Amino acid sequence: MNIIMLGAPGAGKGTQAAVLCEHFNIPTISTGNIIREALRTGTEMGLKAKSFMDAGQLVPDEVVIGIVKDRLQEDDCKAGYILDGFPRTIPQAEALDKMGANIDYVIDIEVADDVIVNRLSGRRVCEKCGRPYHTESLKPKVEGVCDDCGGALVQRKDDQIDTIKNRLDIYHKETEPLVNYYKEQGKLVVIEGQDTVADTTEAVLKAIEG
Ligand code: ADP
Ligand code: ZN
């Protein structure tokens, strides 16, 4: 099963990807997490990406396309994978098609912009594994600590309010055209984002498994 998670920043892609990853026992490939990891370890790619990411802009296509191409060749992707945060532009989607990726479903989680601003400004993520939390709606068992790995929960630089607006603008301009792209390929599944993670998960699983 090869799945793409589509949707605005903060629509709940990462959260649903984590659920599907466990459900189908396939890896999640989050370009955002891979880039943040490169940034932390100070690789050349990380350094190149830093200014774009901090400003809430997209990292250049050739950089992320290279990342995904390498990652999909690893053994654990043979049984399937979930792409979270890729593709984000038409050229990225075209590159993925050229890689021969056989995508089964593109799950587009739709959430209104004002809801997104609320969610992102309260979002915290695990510094170690990237799992998302929220200060009000998705608290960890122990404050400031990741349920999964014990890592510290932090606020991302790009989750500050003015950067959030910028990311939403870019989403509407660069990423939203992918909805039509995958509709034409007959792969699109539109899910209306629900107030709770569990309700959204139910809708996603129903769409995939019937
Ligand atoms: P979100 O979906 O909440 O915006 P991500 O962690 O997926 O968060 O991405 C954070 C940042 O990483 C983006 O704003 C962008 O700078 C960079 N990034 C991640 N994936 C891509 C991609 N496919 N193309 C370009 N930039 C990307
Ligand atoms: Zn963690």
Side-chain angles (χ1 to χ4, degrees), residues 21 26 30 42 50 77 79 90 100 106 124 166-167 172 193 195 199:
C21 159
I26 49 179
S30 158
K50 183 174 170 35
C77 291
I90 294 282
V106 177
R124 300 295 179 270
N166 196 17
R167 285 160 65 200
H172 289 302
D195 287 341
D199 286 348

Side-chain angles (χ1 to χ4, degrees), residues 126 128-131 133 146 148-151:
C126 173
K128 255 166 83 186
C129 75
R131 179 166 168 182
Y133 295 86
C146 177
D148 282 350
C149 76

Side-chain angles (χ1 to χ4, degrees), residues 6-58:
L6 201 62
K13 296 187 299 285
T15 308
Q16 295 305 324
V19 174
L20 292 177
C21 159
E22 210 168 294
H23 187 86
F24 291 113
N25 196 24
I26 49 179
T28 299
I29 299 161
S30 158
T31 42
N33 285 349
I34 292 172
I35 298 166
R36 273 186 291 276
E37 179 62 25
L39 223 136
R40 225 176 354 251
T41 54
T43 67
E44 203 188 317
M45 186 270 282
L47 292 175
K48 245 201 271 178
K50 183 174 170 35
S51 58
F52 295 101
M53 200 164 189
D54 284 350
Q57 284 165 0
L58 295 183

Side-chain angles (χ1 to χ4, degrees), residues 77-89:
C77 291
K78 289 209 174 94
Y81 50 81
I82 299 157
L83 285 169
D84 167 23
F86 182 94
R88 252 178 160 96
T89 65

Side-chain angles (χ1 to χ4, degrees), residues 6-14 16 109-111 116 119-120 123 193 200:
L6 201 62
K13 296 187 299 285
Q16 295 305 324
I109 304 181
E110 300 207 336
V111 175
I116 283 180
R119 284 190 188 175
L120 288 184
R123 174 158 79 173
T200 307

